[in-house]
Amino acid sequence: MTSKPVHIAIFASGAGSNARRIIEYFKEDPGVEISLVVCNKPGAGVLQVASDHHIPAVLIERDRFFKGDGYLPDLEKHRVDLLVLAGFLWKVPEKIIQAYPGKIINIHPALLPAYGGKGMYGHYVHEAVLANREPLSGITIHYVDEHYDHGDTIFQATCRIEENDTVESLSQKIQQLEHAHYPEVIAGIIKKQKPR
Ligand code: GRF
């Protein structure tokens, strides 16, 4: 008897390249279903990604997310088991963290704890890394708690920074690491969390 699939909600605010990779990676996997895309930015590329793959999307509003029900009814309606943040720029409210303990993960485009926290996202991260002439950068996949970029680290991968690297070239290197590793790390978490 096949056990029910694990349902994933992807939270994103931007282009959705990670969301697309994750959707494509699990497309043929009967044990995993990307059930919902949650987005806070009208017109964000990730909404097109959801539409292209016939995945329901919910466009959330600040008040309801932070002061209302946190859209928990939507997550429950889609039987969400795991929340995957992929470029989601709002902090996850306590109400959601309490409802999904140990079930919310995020990817950050730097080697936390360095270069993390409020305001450290996208090109701001790469600018700071380059300005400090770091020899390495990379990605961090971590559990989400009530602070930005702060929960237990699950996985990190690094890339070398060369003299001639720019924000653009570094962002490309980081994105390649993200696309190569995020889906596999998610698959590993699901495997570990599946009841025997
Ligand atoms: C990625 O760099 C990710 O590390 C960060 O936000 C970006 C999302 O990019 N959290 P995309 O929207 O998946 O292309």
Side-chain angles (χ1 to χ4, degrees):
M1 194 266 273
T2 50
S3 55
K4 75 178 183 68
V6 171
H7 297 87
I8 291 176
I10 297 177
F11 285 61
S13 308
S17 72
N18 278 281
R20 186 187 308 111
R21 270 289 298 129
I22 294 164
I23 292 165
E24 288 167 354
Y25 183 93
F26 289 108
K27 204 135 187 94
E28 307 307 323
D29 184 339
V32 177
E33 189 181 306
I34 311 298
S35 317
L36 185 64
V37 165
V38 177
C39 181
N40 64 320
K41 200 151 167 281
V46 69
L47 293 170
Q48 187 57 50
V49 172
S51 164
D52 293 348
H53 292 274
H54 314 295
I55 294 173
V58 57
L59 192 52
I60 60 174
E61 293 172 340
R62 197 177 280 279
D63 276 1
R64 182 176 165 197
F65 190 60
F66 290 106
K67 298 187 199 124
D69 62 12
Y71 290 86
L72 286 175
D74 297 72
L75 298 176
E76 283 145 26
K77 178 178 138 199
H78 291 277
R79 294 174 292 167
V80 170
D81 302 297
L82 183 66
L83 286 69
V84 171
L85 310 188
F88 185 66
L89 296 183
W90 285 353
K91 204 138 77 78
V92 177
E94 195 57 39
K95 185 188 289 273
I96 296 181
I97 292 178
Q98 281 164 2
Y100 290 92
K103 302 278 189 187
I104 311 174
I105 64 174
N106 181 45
I107 188 166
H108 183 75
L111 298 172
L112 293 176
Y115 304 104
K118 195 166 168 49
M120 283 308 264
Y121 59 89
H123 64 86
Y124 297 112
V125 177
H126 308 315
E127 281 163 5
V129 166
L130 291 170
N132 288 350
R133 307 185 66 73
E134 296 286 353
L136 292 177
S137 189
I139 61 169
T140 304
I141 298 169
H142 63 95
Y143 286 106
V144 170
D145 63 15
E146 62 280 15
H147 306 292
Y148 268 117
D149 302 327
H150 179 264
D152 291 344
T153 294
I154 301 166
F155 175 84
Q156 287 190 313
T158 62
C159 61
R160 289 196 51 69
I161 299 180
E162 311 301 341
E163 253 324 286
N164 61 351
D165 262 318
T166 62
V167 169
E168 184 48 38
S169 64
L170 177 54
S171 141
Q172 298 282 330
K173 288 182 183 178
I174 295 290
Q175 195 167 76
Q176 277 168 11
L177 288 177
E178 293 173 341
H179 294 178
H181 294 291
Y182 208 5
E184 285 173 359
V185 168
I186 294 165
I189 289 169
I190 290 170
K191 214 165 159 185
K192 238 177 14 198
Q193 293 190 350
K194 251 188 181 327
R196 292 252 169 269

